[in-house]
Each structure stands twice: as C-alpha cells, then as structure tokens.
Amino acid sequence: YLPIGYWLADQRTATGEQRTVRLTDGTLINLNTHSALDVRFDEKERRIVLQEGEILIETGHNDTRPFIVETRDGHMRALGTRFLVKREDQGTRLSVLQSAVAARPQTLPDEQILKQGQQVMMRADGLGPLLAINPGADAWTRGMLVVDNARLEDLVHELGRYRRGHLGVAPEVADLRITGSFPLHDTDKALSALLPSLPVQIEQHTPYWVTVAKADTKP
C-alpha cells in the first residue's frame, strides 16, 4: 500500500532510485529513494510539500520570495541554505548543512532557528532536542551510507529502504555495533561487507526475503 499523495506527487522516486531536479528559481533538490514532493510556487512564496521520503535542498539565491518546506509535522523556512528534510515514523528530521533554517511545528506559533551542523526531530506538537548532525548525513547523495557505531538493526533498516522485498535482522544480533561506509546502489555488496566485521551470516531465502542472522559456529 502506498498513499495517494505519493502517486499524485509532482516529483517522485521509486525504491532504490535517486534523482536531482532543478526548480524554476534555480533551487536544486536531490530526492532520495522512495520520495515524493509537490511544488507549490506562487507570487508570494516558494513552497515544497514533502509527501514521503527524504530530500536535500540547495536553495536558489536570486529570488526574494520565502522558501518553505512543509510536512505533516510543520514548516521549515530556509535562510539562504543547504539542508536535509526526512520524514520518519516519529516525525520530520531536519538537518542543516549550511547557513540556517527556521523550524515551526504544526500546532505552535513560533519558529526556532537551527544553525549549520544542527539537527532536530520535529513533531506537530514540538521540537526535540538540538543535536549534532550525524557524520555522512548527506552521503546518500553520493550513493553511500556512512555510519559510526550504529546498531546493526538500524543499519539494516536503512539499507532496506533501497531494495524491494523484506530485509530483516535476527533479534540476537540486532544490537551489534558497526562503523563503516556501505554502497546504496548495491545492497547485496553492502550486506556482504558486514561479514568480516561481525559474527553474522546472510540468509537469502528468495531475492525478496533476506535476513541478517547470527553466524553458524558449528564445525
């Protein structure tokens, strides 16, 4: 099941697909895997509605209209900047790579300004704590996933966004930690890269049902 907003969006990407689009004001938007957005420009403002997924935005600078990104959780107003917006189950993650962004949750009247190097999880009723951006937050634009001491379950979940079918992890290895760089356009290669570092094995029942499980230590 996919929401109707995804299918009717002005721009969208399929699972595993990435794309860059240039808007009429010169803004560049990178769409990550399985992402969808609508473009709503008028004489007063430039507005992007992120329906699904994740985008990286580099705003055009020769236009005085406000540039706003909207999700179900709130609004983000660019202050001449480069930033990431990602819709997640628990809210919208905003990561500021350059300059600053003013964030306003859906049900609150005031904005909070995030500066370069900061990220926050925005929900409709408020903002979470300001945190430092994760290393390699924009590495996906270069076809890589970069993690530093990440839980294996979180890594596998992220790789699963780039392939069709089920990609799971067994509970007994879910909390193992991993650091490294993994190719997003060849997730089988990325999974194989886990084997030298962790006591795991890849169980592939079909091309569309794969599990990262505990390695078999039997002689």
Side-chain angles (χ1 to χ4, degrees):
Y1 168 77
L2 295 173
I4 192 66
Y6 172 85
W7 292 112
L8 298 180
D10 295 333
Q11 299 285 343
R12 67 176 185 265
T13 53
T15 298
E17 179 188 7
Q18 295 175 333
R19 185 189 311 158
T20 300
V21 297
R22 183 182 292 274
L23 304 183
T24 56
D25 67 333
T27 293
L28 285 175
I29 299 183
N30 290 67
L31 287 85
N32 203 353
T33 176
H34 192 73
S35 299
L37 61 84
D38 290 314
V39 181
R40 298 177 181 171
F41 282 18
D42 59 28
E43 66 278 3
K44 295 182 179 180
E45 67 177 22
R46 299 168 289 165
R47 183 177 294 261
I48 299 297
V49 181
L50 181 60
Q51 302 284 1
E52 294 284 338
E54 181 178 18
I55 53 177
L56 183 148
I57 299 171
E58 298 182 39
T59 54
H61 300 296
N62 297 321
D63 196 313
T64 59
R65 293 173 296 173
F67 190 99
I68 297 169
V69 179
E70 174 187 342
T71 72
R72 63 190 175 195
D73 300 298
H75 302 78
M76 291 142 281
R77 181 169 59 89
L79 302 174
T81 191
R82 182 172 179 262
F83 60 106
L84 293 160
V85 181
K86 182 180 181 182
R87 282 189 50 172
E88 300 182 7
D89 292 340
Q90 62 268 42
T92 297
R93 185 177 302 278
L94 167 64
S95 303
V96 182
L97 302 174
Q98 291 179 3
S99 191
V101 176
R104 180 174 67 83
Q106 188 71 36
T107 61
L108 298 182
D110 298 325
E111 296 178 328
Q112 180 173 340
I113 294 178
L114 277 74
K115 298 180 180 179
Q116 179 174 324
Q118 294 181 322
Q119 67 169 322
V120 72
M121 180 65 72
M122 180 170 63
R123 301 176 305 277
D125 60 351
L127 297 173
L130 296 183
L131 302 173
I133 289 179
N134 297 325
D138 63 342
W140 61 264
T141 64
R142 301 182 293 277
M144 299 298 294
L145 172 62
V146 178
V147 296
D148 182 15
N149 196 35
R151 293 177 65 247
L152 179 59
E153 184 175 36
D154 296 335
L155 170 66
V156 171
H157 174 76
E158 191 66 18
L159 289 175
R161 298 175 57 217
Y162 295 85
R163 60 184 292 147
R164 297 185 182 277
H166 170 78
L167 177 59
V169 58
E172 57 267 29
V173 296
D175 291 327
L176 294 177
R177 295 283 174 167
I178 184 73
T179 295
S181 301
F182 302 88
L184 293 174
H185 300 303
D186 188 346
T187 53
D188 287 331
K189 183 178 180 180
L191 291 172
S192 296
L194 299 173
L195 302 180
S197 303
L198 298 176
V200 298
Q201 62 186 18
I202 310 303
E203 297 179 349
Q204 185 162 346
H205 307 284
T206 75
Y208 300 102
W209 193 278
V210 178
T211 302
V212 180
K214 185 177 180 180
D216 187 358
T217 58
K218 295 180 181 179

